[in-house]
Amino acid sequence: GLGSLDGLLSPLSLPVSMLLFAWAWHAPHAVLPCRTPSRAAPQPSLPLRPALQPRAATASCSSIAEPPEAELPSAATTEALPPLFAQIEKSLEALTGNPQLLLEAVVGLNLPGGVATYDRDRVVGYFQRRPTLMVSRAYEFLRAFQRVRSAWEATDGSVDRGVVLRSELSALGPVAVKVGQTLSQRPDILPEDVCEALKGLQTSNEPFPNEEAYRVIAEDFGAKGPLAPGLPSPLQRHEGFDPDAPPLFAKLTADCIASASLGQVYRGTMHDGREIAVKVQRPGALRQCLLDGSVIIVALKAIQGRYWNGDLLAIFDLVASGIVQELDFRNEARNAAAFKRSLSFLGYVDVPVTLPELTTRRAMAMEWVHGRHLSDLAPEEAMRMTFMSCEAVTAGLVLTGIVHADPHEGNIMLGDDGRLYFLDFGLMSEVRAEIMEAFAYGIQCVLNKDWRGLVTAFVQTGFVGTPIEYREDTTGEFGSGSPEAMAAELEERMESVPGGTSRFGALSTVLFDMGNQWRMYTPPYIILLIRTFLTLEGIAGQVDPNFNIYEVSLPWAVRRALSPSTSAGEEALRGALLASDNTLRWDRVNELIEQQQLAAPAGEQQAVEAEGAAEGASAAAAAEGPVGGAATPPATADPLDAVRVLLGSPGGATLRRIARDLDSTELLTTLTTSRKTRHLRRLGVRMLAESLTQRFAAALSPPPKHERRPPPEQLPVSPASEALRRRRAERLAGVRRVLVASHLQRQVRAGWRGAAAIGAVGLLFFRVAVVAFCKAAVRTLPGAVGGIRRAVLRG
C-alpha cells in the first residue's frame, strides 16, 4: 500500500512511484465491474464527485483508525510537473486525503452516477494494504465470541445470554446484526429467551447520534436552511447556510423511531401534508461491511474445500454483493418498485412509495405506512398476515423470480387497510426460470411424498451433482450412488423428523445430515433463499406451530408447473399429460387422483385439530398475548384455480396448446366406457352427492342464526388486481368458446365415432346426476324427518 512505500520514496522516485500506483489503481478501478475498456481508447482521469468533497468528516465516524497515508507533494511541486503527472497527483491527493472517498472508489461510487457494486479482488486488495485493520477486526470477532461463550457457560443465572449476544452482535456492526436478525426467528436453533432478546436487532438496534443523521440528510437532500422547525441544522456554521430559508420538512422527529442493521428511521411531514419516513444510513457502514467481508474472505480461503462441498467464496460473494447494493439506497428504491410490480396480481401486497427527489445513496424518504407489526396483532390478524406473507414470498420464488430476502418481523406490516406491506428492499434475490420450475416441482414432490421426484428436483437445482456420489464411510472417498437409494434414505429421514412434510427447516436439517455420506453442494444463489424461508417459517411458527408452508406454496407451484418458461419445462409438461399420439395419459391422471385421496385423510385430521384449537383461541390469546392463539387462515385458491387462471392468461400458452391438441374423441370414449376410468365416474358421483347433501341439509333444516359461521374472510384486492382478474375471466371465456368449438368440429370430422362419443357423454352426465341426487336424498331425508318431528313436538 502507500504506507509501505515510505522508505522507497525519494525526490527522484516519487513521480515514478506515483505514476505506477496510479496506473495500477486507475486501470482496474475506473470502470464498472465486468466491463473491459477498449485498449485503443485513452484512459480518463479518475473522476471525483464534487458533492462528496464536503463529506470529508464522515471518515471520522468510523471507530477504526485509518493508518497514515503517504505524504504527497505540495501544490507548487505539482504545478511544476507535466500535465499528466499533475492530473494524477491531484487525484491521488484528493483520494489519500479522504480515505472514505478511496473506499467509495473501490465499489465504483467515484464514477458519475455510479451505483455501489461489489468486486472481491478490489475489496480485499484495499484492506490487504492495511493489514493492521484486518488483524484488529479479526481480534474483535474473537473477543466477542469469547464473551458470548462465557455467558453461555454461566450456569448460575447471573448472566442474561440473550442480552449479551444481542449487545455483542450490535457492537460488531451491520453484518453481525443481520445474522442476529435471522437467528431471532429460529427458536429451533436458539432458546426462546435468546430469540426474544435478538428481536430487538430488527427495529431497536443501538442508534447512532442524531446529529450525524441530520448532517447526512442536510448534505444529501441539499438543505439550504433548517431541516424542520425547532431542529438545529448541522450545517448552520457552513458557508451558504441561510437561516431564513424555508425548512426542508414541515416536521421531523428529534429522535429516531427505529434503528436496524444499516440505518435508522425518522418520521416527518412534508409541506404538502404527506407523512413520510426518512431512512438514514449508518456512518461508516460501507467501510465496516467491506472490512468484515475481507476478514471473512481470508478465513474462507483457509477452509475452502475442507469442510464443505461447495464454493464458499462464490457463496459469500453473492451475499456480500447483496449487502453492498443494500448500502446504496437508490438500489432499494428500484427494488421496491420492481417488487411491487411483480406481485401486483395478488392485490393485497404493497410497498411504501419512495420520493425520487429525496433518494440518495445514504438517505431516502418514503411515504409513511399506517399499520402494525406481528407482535401487535390479534391471533386472527396475525394468521392473515402470516398467510399473505408466505403466499407472497412463495409466489415470488416460483412465479416472478423476485424474492424479498429479508422478511423478518420488522420488515413486514399489516396495514390499517388490511393490506400486507413489505419494507426494506436492500437485500433481494433473483431466481432464474429453470430454478423456479425445479422449486415448483420439489414443492409438489414434498406434499405428495414423491421422494424419487424430490431427488430429481435436487439435481435440477444444483444441490446434487450428476452422477450422484455416495460413500459408506464419512472419512472415505466418494463413489457412485443411485437416485433410488438416495430417495429411500430421504424418505426414511423425512418421515422420522418432526414436521418433515410441513417445515422447510426440517428439510434443511435432513439434507445437512445426509451431506456426510452423499455429496451435496450449496449453489451460491440458494443462501439468500434459505435465509428467506427460514426467517419466514420462524414467523409462521409463532402464529401456528402446525403452519404448513408447502401447502400455502402449492397453488403457485402448480401454476408454475403448468406455465413453464423453458423449452425443457414445456416438453416435460406435455409429456406428463399427453402421449405421443396426443391421447390423454390416464395413468398420470389416476396417479394424481390416488395421491389426492391419500392426502385427504391427513388434511381432514388437520382441519379437525385446527377447529378444536380454535375453540380455545381466546384463552390462549389471553395467556400468551396477541400472538400465539390459533386462528383460521383466510380463504385461498386451490390448485384447480391455477388451471382456470392460466387458461385465461398469457402464461398459459403451453397449457392451451395441450388442450387444443388433445384427442377429445378418445378422451370422451374412454371416460364413458373404459374400465380404467370407472373410479373417475364414481368419484364424480361422490363429489356431486356430497355437494347436494350439504345444499339439501341447509335448505331443510337451517341452523339458528347464532350458530351460523361467517364465511371465511377474503383477502383485500387492489383496483389493478381486480381489473386483471376481469381481463383473465374474459379471456378464459373466450378460450373456452374456442376450445369447445374446435373439439366439436373434431367430433363432426370423426363421423359416427364422434357422434357416439358425444351421445355417451350426455348419457354419462345424466346417470351421474341421477345417482348423486338419489344418494343425497337418502342421506338427507332422515334428518329432515327428524327436524319436522321436533318442530311439531315443540309446537
Side-chain angles (χ1 to χ4, degrees):
L2 286 175
S4 64
L5 296 177
D6 286 342
L8 300 177
L9 295 179
S10 66
L12 180 61
S13 63
L14 176 61
V16 177
S17 299
M18 292 180 61
L19 178 61
L20 291 175
F21 175 81
W23 177 85
W25 173 265
H26 183 62
H29 292 271
V31 295
L32 289 172
C34 303
R35 295 184 62 187
T36 304
S38 172
R39 297 185 179 220
Q43 296 297 318
S45 61
L46 188 62
L48 296 174
R49 290 189 298 165
L52 293 176
Q53 300 298 340
R55 288 198 260 141
T58 59
S60 63
C61 298
S62 174
S63 60
I64 302 175
E66 178 74 23
E69 302 285 357
E71 294 183 0
L72 294 171
S74 63
T77 307
T78 302
E79 292 176 359
L81 295 173
L84 176 61
F85 282 57
Q87 190 177 25
I88 292 173
E89 292 197 14
K90 285 182 180 179
S91 296
L92 286 172
E93 183 176 6
L95 284 173
T96 55
N98 187 343
Q100 178 67 18
L101 292 183
L102 182 60
L103 194 58
E104 290 178 358
V106 171
V107 294
L109 289 172
N110 62 302
L111 300 172
V115 177
T117 54
Y118 168 80
D119 183 278
R120 184 205 306 167
D121 294 334
R122 296 182 186 181
V123 172
V124 175
Y126 174 86
F127 286 105
Q128 280 181 339
R129 292 192 290 270
R130 294 154 180 83
T132 305
L133 293 178
M134 297 186 67
V135 173
S136 61
R137 186 58 175 166
Y139 180 72
E140 289 177 10
F141 278 120
L142 178 61
R143 291 291 297 151
F145 171 76
Q146 291 174 340
R147 288 189 290 268
V148 171
R149 185 175 63 178
S150 298
W152 231 257
E153 294 174 349
T155 57
D156 56 359
S158 59
V159 179
D160 190 326
R161 299 175 301 177
V163 172
V164 172
L165 180 58
R166 171 184 167 178
S167 176
E168 294 295 338
L169 292 176
S170 178
L172 284 175
V175 175
V177 169
K178 285 193 172 295
V179 174
Q181 290 173 346
T182 302
L183 292 176
S184 70
Q185 306 293 164
R186 303 303 306 182
D188 54 334
I189 299 176
L190 293 177
E192 290 190 10
D193 62 312
V194 176
C195 291
E196 286 299 320
L198 293 181
K199 286 182 180 180
L201 297 175
Q202 297 173 358
T203 57
S204 303
N205 191 25
E206 186 68 25
F208 59 88
N210 294 317
E211 292 74 15
E212 298 183 16
Y214 292 155
R215 177 177 295 276
V216 172
I217 293 174
E219 291 178 354
D220 283 26
F221 292 169
K224 302 298 184 182
L227 294 182
L231 284 182
S233 174
L235 303 182
Q236 57 188 1
R237 297 182 180 178
H238 287 214
E239 183 179 354
F241 177 79
D242 183 3
D244 298 325
L248 184 63
F249 304 110
K251 294 180 182 178
L252 189 67
T253 54
D255 293 303
C256 67
I257 60 171
S259 181
S261 58
L262 297 178
Q264 57 195 38
V265 179
Y266 297 81
R267 184 173 181 176
T269 305
M270 300 290 288
H271 291 288
D272 57 7
R274 287 178 295 171
E275 293 184 87
I276 60 170
V278 182
K279 182 177 178 181
V280 186
Q281 189 178 119
R282 286 183 176 273
L286 176 65
R287 177 186 185 80
Q288 193 75 73
C289 290
L290 294 181
L291 175 58
D292 289 351
S294 299
V295 174
I296 294 173
I297 288 171
V298 172
L300 292 180
K301 285 183 177 180
I303 65 173
Q304 177 84 330
R306 297 184 182 182
Y307 307 104
W308 199 265
N309 295 324
D311 191 342
L312 294 177
L313 290 173
I315 294 172
F316 179 78
D317 285 345
L318 186 66
V319 176
S321 177
I323 293 177
V324 169
Q325 292 184 31
E326 189 176 5
L327 287 165
D328 192 331
F329 289 164
R330 294 168 295 181
N331 284 325
E332 180 173 346
R334 285 188 288 268
N335 291 341
F339 182 82
K340 181 177 181 177
R341 286 194 303 270
S342 70
L343 293 179
S344 60
F345 66 93
L346 289 178
Y348 57 77
V349 174
D350 209 341
V351 304
V353 177
T354 58
L355 281 61
E357 67 276 13
L358 295 179
T359 299
T360 67
R361 181 180 71 83
R362 301 184 300 166
M364 67 182 302
M366 66 199 82
E367 69 174 8
W368 183 263
V369 176
H370 293 273
R372 292 164 293 159
H373 292 287
L374 181 67
S375 59
D376 301 322
L377 301 178
E380 287 288 341
E381 294 175 316
M383 172 60 79
R384 186 165 66 253
M385 190 188 81
T386 301
F387 181 87
M388 290 191 295
S389 302
C390 292
E391 195 174 55
V393 173
T394 53
L397 173 66
V398 299
L399 278 185
T400 69
I402 301 177
V403 182
H404 193 296
D406 200 14
H408 60 70
E409 289 183 45
N411 287 340
I412 304 176
M413 293 181 68
L414 183 65
D416 292 346
D417 57 0
R419 298 159 67 81
L420 177 70
Y421 284 85
F422 282 88
L423 312 175
D424 191 355
F425 296 88
L427 203 57
M428 303 290 290
S429 298
E430 293 186 4
V431 189
R432 301 193 307 272
E434 63 272 18
I435 301 300
M436 287 192 285
E437 293 175 7
F439 271 117
Y441 179 57
I443 290 171
Q444 298 175 77
C445 290
V446 171
L447 287 174
N448 295 328
K449 297 184 179 181
D450 179 8
W451 309 118
R452 179 61 181 84
L454 188 58
V455 172
T456 301
F458 289 158
V459 173
Q460 294 173 344
T461 54
F463 277 114
V464 178
T466 304
I468 296 176
E469 296 180 88
Y470 174 79
R471 62 183 178 185
E472 290 284 350
D473 185 359
T474 56
T475 60
E477 296 292 330
F478 282 100
S480 60
S482 68
E484 291 74 18
M486 189 176 193
E489 182 175 346
L490 191 61
E491 178 180 8
E492 179 182 354
R493 290 178 178 270
M494 291 289 284
E495 295 289 352
S496 61
V497 68
T501 58
S502 62
R503 292 175 49 247
F504 179 77
L507 177 59
S508 301
T509 302
V510 167
L511 293 179
F512 185 81
D513 293 339
M514 290 179 62
N516 293 323
Q517 293 181 295
W518 298 89
R519 187 185 287 277
M520 295 186 181
Y521 301 89
T522 306
Y525 72 86
I526 204 64
I527 293 299
L528 291 179
L529 294 178
I530 289 177
R531 181 181 189 270
T532 296
F533 281 91
L534 288 180
T535 302
L536 198 61
E537 195 170 76
I539 295 176
Q542 299 178 56
V543 178
D544 181 6
N546 297 319
F547 192 93
N548 192 327
I549 196 170
Y550 293 111
E551 290 181 352
V552 177
S553 309
L554 181 59
W556 310 122
V558 171
R559 187 186 294 191
R560 167 52 64 186
L562 295 177
S563 58
S565 53
T566 65
S567 57
E570 292 177 359
E571 293 177 4
L573 176 61
R574 190 177 187 90
L577 298 178
L578 298 182
S580 57
D581 58 353
N582 286 337
T583 57
L584 186 66
R585 288 191 54 182
W586 292 103
D587 57 335
R588 180 57 177 161
V589 174
N590 296 336
E591 179 184 340
L592 293 174
I593 293 175
E594 290 174 2
Q595 291 174 353
Q596 183 67 26
Q597 291 175 338
L598 289 174
E604 293 172 1
Q605 179 63 27
Q606 290 178 359
V608 171
E609 294 174 356
E611 185 175 354
E615 294 177 357
S618 300
E624 301 178 13
V627 178
T632 304
T636 183
D638 57 31
L640 187 59
D641 287 335
V643 177
R644 292 191 286 265
V645 169
L646 284 173
L647 285 175
S649 66
T654 302
L655 193 61
R656 289 193 293 271
R657 284 195 294 268
I658 292 175
R660 180 199 61 194
D661 298 341
L662 173 67
D663 186 343
S664 53
T665 304
E666 187 274 341
L667 169 68
L668 298 177
T669 303
T670 304
L671 184 63
T672 54
T673 61
S674 176
R675 293 178 60 88
K676 62 183 178 182
T677 58
R678 178 182 298 175
H679 65 287
L680 282 176
R681 297 191 289 270
R682 291 176 176 173
L683 178 62
V685 171
R686 185 171 72 249
M687 295 176 62
L688 182 57
E690 291 175 353
S691 177
L692 291 175
T693 300
Q694 294 175 1
R695 292 175 179 269
F696 290 166
L700 294 174
S701 55
K705 291 184 177 181
H706 67 277
E707 295 182 3
R708 296 179 186 177
R709 303 181 67 178
E713 184 173 357
Q714 299 295 320
L715 299 178
V717 296
S718 65
S721 65
E722 190 62 32
L724 177 61
R725 292 178 186 180
R726 287 196 298 268
R727 290 196 300 270
R728 283 175 174 171
E730 293 171 358
R731 286 198 295 261
L732 177 59
V735 169
R736 283 174 176 170
R737 289 192 297 269
V738 171
L739 289 177
V740 169
S742 172
H743 287 290
L744 283 177
Q745 293 176 3
R746 191 169 299 175
Q747 306 317 311
V748 172
R749 290 195 298 268
W752 67 267
R753 290 182 65 250
I758 294 177
V761 168
L763 180 60
L764 174 63
F765 285 166
F766 178 77
R767 288 170 51 196
V768 168
V770 170
V771 174
F773 181 86
C774 293
K775 287 188 174 185
V778 170
R779 295 174 184 173
T780 309
L781 187 59
V785 172
I788 295 174
R789 181 180 301 173
R790 287 191 297 271
V792 171
L793 292 177
R794 284 196 302 267

